[in-house]
Amino acid sequence: MLIPAVAARLDPGWASRVAAARRKLWLALFHPRTVLEAFRGETPGFRPHRPFWGMRGGVSAVFVERLLTLLTALPSVRINPVGRLRHMASGPRGTVLLDFAAPPGGAPQRLSLPAATCALGLGAEELFRAAGVDYAPQRLSVAFGWAEVAEADLRHCPFSLLLAAPGAPALRVSAGPVAEGGRRVMALEFGHVPEGLPHPGAAEARRALEETGLLREGAPMRLLGVTSLPCLQVPSFDNRRAFQAALAAFHARGPEGWAGQLLCGAGRLGFDSMNEQILTGLRIGEP
């Protein structure tokens, strides 16, 4: 009752996807007993106890900014801002040449790295395209919106609220930190929007906030924006086969002497969440 309702909002064909990869549809996975206890208002009996951890400031960007600050302060680390990888080729004396587009406020760059030991943490589409390998996985577009309301007009404000009911005006509502002037930005995930259909707007955002009891009915609300992004890579068998073929082509046609490591989504299909990237970094950093 819970999982199918959420999955269908993100991917209408979710039931035919690779079972082990359905988590990539941002599904909330709960044991039925845990769900029942929550609906009854009981304390979940799941053990061991695993409390959620968050950042002061409320969003993962805060964690990235702090991590970057710590890295910048290390004498053994050099931060070199670059744009997207445009081209990758063999260089002299066992090197690989990486041509990057200009980052904001910067200039295009060419880096030369040892082909045998370098590690590249890039998305699969960006890396394979730079190496001359065709790869275009099927993606699903998901609509997002941001609405600003007064903190005093919120009846209650959980960090994240999942709306599983069919026909709900949004899929998930998340609360940002309280800003200056007692205002709070609420992030809304509306789910998959089929091509050709209009994006949700202010009416859907208000419904999502009022019908859930978060926002006082009729309270002022300012819609900051709505966008739709092809951010979900479909966890299908076709996409898995396409990735495996592209990865094999990269190793066959890539830079001469390449023996480096491919991290994140380039090294493993769908391995692109922050948690997965942290685990990958810890693994390659082991002595």
Side-chain angles (χ1 to χ4, degrees):
M1 181 176 72
L2 179 63
I3 301 302
V6 175
R9 300 281 297 281
L10 291 164
D11 179 8
W14 72 275
S16 63
R17 307 308 185 195
V18 180
R22 287 179 185 170
R23 62 187 178 84
K24 303 308 297 182
L25 294 175
W26 301 347
L27 296 183
L29 301 180
F30 301 104
H31 190 277
R33 180 177 173 182
T34 302
V35 175
L36 181 61
E37 289 170 338
F39 275 99
R40 286 175 172 173
E42 301 172 358
T43 301
F46 174 73
R47 296 292 183 273
H49 178 57
R50 296 178 182 176
F52 287 103
W53 293 83
M55 295 294 297
R56 290 190 181 94
V59 292
S60 57
V62 175
F63 171 79
V64 175
E65 291 170 355
R66 293 182 183 178
L67 184 61
L68 185 59
T69 299
L70 292 172
L71 287 172
T72 304
L74 294 175
S76 58
V77 175
R78 184 179 67 181
I79 306 294
N80 190 25
V82 295
R84 284 189 172 275
L85 180 63
R86 297 302 188 194
H87 185 66
M88 180 181 190
S90 301
R93 297 181 297 278
T95 60
V96 57
L97 300 178
L98 305 173
D99 290 324
F100 291 93
Q109 295 187 55
R110 165 170 283 190
L111 299 181
S112 176
L113 300 174
T117 59
C118 73
L120 299 178
L122 296 165
E125 291 160 272
E126 182 178 353
L127 177 67
F128 294 158
R129 189 180 299 115
V133 176
D134 291 331
Y135 178 63
Q138 180 190 1
R139 291 184 176 273
L140 292 169
S141 291
V142 178
F144 301 87
W146 295 268
E148 185 184 63
V149 298
E151 174 73 6
D153 289 328
L154 290 171
R155 290 173 169 162
H156 62 107
C157 189
F159 177 75
S160 183
L161 180 64
L162 183 70
L163 312 180
L171 174 66
R172 186 172 8 237
V173 180
S174 302
V178 179
E180 199 172 320
R183 310 289 295 177
R184 189 189 287 269
V185 175
M186 309 296 288
L188 302 107
E189 298 171 41
F190 294 104
H192 173 58
V193 178
E195 189 175 350
L197 293 184
H199 289 169
E204 288 77 14
R206 178 171 290 279
R207 278 189 58 209
L209 295 175
E210 289 186 352
E211 292 183 8
T212 53
L214 297 178
L215 182 67
R216 178 175 57 81
E217 189 172 348
M221 183 205 77
R222 183 164 70 100
L223 185 66
L224 301 178
V226 174
T227 188
S228 180
L229 301 171
C231 48
L232 278 181
Q233 188 174 148
V234 180
S236 63
F237 289 96
D238 287 343
N239 269 352
R240 184 167 68 175
R241 284 189 289 267
F243 176 83
Q244 292 169 343
L247 183 61
F250 171 83
H251 286 297
R253 293 156 42 189
E256 185 178 349
W258 170 261
Q261 298 190 64
L262 299 182
L263 315 178
C264 308
R268 182 173 171 182
L269 179 62
F271 214 69
D272 49 15
S273 72
M274 177 178 287
N275 287 348
E276 290 160 336
Q277 293 187 38
I278 291 173
L279 290 174
T280 304
L282 291 173
R283 179 178 60 80
I284 68 166
E286 293 177 348

